[in-house]
Amino acid sequence: MGIDAARYEAEQLADRIRRALVAPFRLSDYEIGVDCAIGIAHGEDAVDDVEELIRNAQFAVKAAKSGTQVESYHTDAFTIARDQFAMETALRRAIEQSQLRLAFQPICDLASGEIVAFEALARWRDLQGVDQDPSKFIPVAEESGLIVPLGRWAMEEAARTLVWLDESCGGDCGMRMAVNLSAIQIQRDDIAAVVEGSLIRHGLKGERFTLELTESAIVSDPDRTARAMHALRSLGTVLAMDDFGTGYSNLAYLQQLPIDILKIDRSFVTEMLADRDKIAIVRAILSLAQALGMKTTAEGVETNELAQTLAALGCTYGQGYLYARPLEASDALALVRRLRAQRRSA
Ligand code: C2E
Ligand code: CA
Ligand code: CA
C-alpha cells in the first residue's frame, strides 16, 4: 500500500471509530453520548522507534482534543511544539538555578539629552553558552506560566540593582528603573503585592520604578487589570503602556486607567523618517498622549536625526541603539558614574 493510501485508511478508520462512539445510546432513563479525540501517528521512514511513534501519537491526541477531534501527526507543527517544550524545560531549570540575568537599556529625556532611566530586560545564556532570544523565551514563559516566577525574579533583581547603583554613587543615583510586566502575571499573580514586597525589602520608593504593561492585559481581563493598575499607582509607581499602537484594545481604556506614559512601538519609530504613514501614526499618538496629559517614550531610536525629529514633535523620552544597547549591570554603573562626573564639571 502507498503512503497516501495508508494515511487515508487510518483516517477513515479513525472516523468510523469516532462515529460508532458518538452515536447516542440508552442507559436506563438516560441517553448517553460519548465524544472522543483520536491522534494518529504514522510509522514511516525516520520514525522507526516505537517510543517516538507513541510520543508523536500523544502530541496528535493533544492537538485533536483542542481541535478537529481527529488529528494526524505532522512533523512541522509538532517539531515546533516539541522545541517549545524543550525550551520550557530548560527555562524552568534556568529560573530554578538562577541562570537568568538582567540587562539595562538607558532611556533619554529628549529635551535635556539626559539619561533618566534604565529598562531592565531579561537575558538567558543556556548551559551550552548560547544566548537565547527574549522574544522567543518570554512567549514560552507566558504560555507555560513560568512568567510568574520569572517576573517576580525580574522585579526583585531590578530593585537589587537599583540599590546597588545608589550605594555605588553614595546616594540616589538619579535613575529610575523600568520593569516589564506580562499580561499573564497580572492575571495569575498578585502583582501589586510582588512589587510592594520588593520595595519594602530594598527600602525603595515606588516613584523610582516605571512598570511597563501591554494592551493585551487590558484585552484579556479589563477589570482585574484596572484593579492591579490602581493598586500599583497607589504604591507610587509610574505606569507605562508598552508597544502602544500594536494591540487591538478599545482606546476608551486610556481615559479610565492610571497611565502615565505611552511607549510608541519600535515598528512605527524606526522607519518613520522614510515612511509617511508611520510618521502620521507617531504624530497621532503624540497628540493623543498630549490631550490626555500623558508622557511618551519612543522605542527604537537609532539615529540622531530621529531623536531630533521626535524631540521637535514633543516626544518626552527616547530609547534605542543611538544611546546604548542593553548594558550589563557593571556597564550601567560605569555610565551613571560618567554622567554624574560630567554633570559635576559642567
Ligand atoms: P520590549 O519591552 O519592547 O523591549 C525593547 C526591545 O527592543 C528589547 O529587546 C531591546 O533590546 C530592543 N531594542 C531597544 N532599542 C532598540 C533599537 O534601537 N533598535 C532595535 N532594533 N531594537 C531595540 P529584547 O531585550 O530582545 O526584549 C524583547 C522583548 O522581550 C521585550 O520587548 C519585552 O516584551 C520582553 N521582555 C524582556 N525582558 C522581559 C521581562 O523581564 N519580563 C517580561 N514580561 N517581558 C520581557
Ligand atoms: Ca518594555
Ligand atoms: Ca516595547
Side-chain angles (χ1 to χ4, degrees), residues 182-188 214-225 249:
S182 155
I184 311 288
Q185 279 175 274
I186 293 169
Q187 269 173 34
R188 302 215 191 140
T214 57
E215 286 169 83
S216 56
I218 298 158
V219 177
S220 57
D221 191 342
D223 293 341
R224 188 176 170 92
T225 304
S249 54

Side-chain angles (χ1 to χ4, degrees), residues 154-166:
M155 179 64 214
E156 184 66 15
E157 185 65 14
R160 212 181 55 77
T161 306
L162 191 56
V163 168
W164 176 72
L165 289 174
D166 283 353

Side-chain angles (χ1 to χ4, degrees), residues 119 212 242-243 263 265-266 299:
E119 177 175 1
E212 302 193 356
D242 206 350
D243 306 334
K263 268 194 111 165
D265 193 66
R266 193 169 77 219
E299 302 182 329

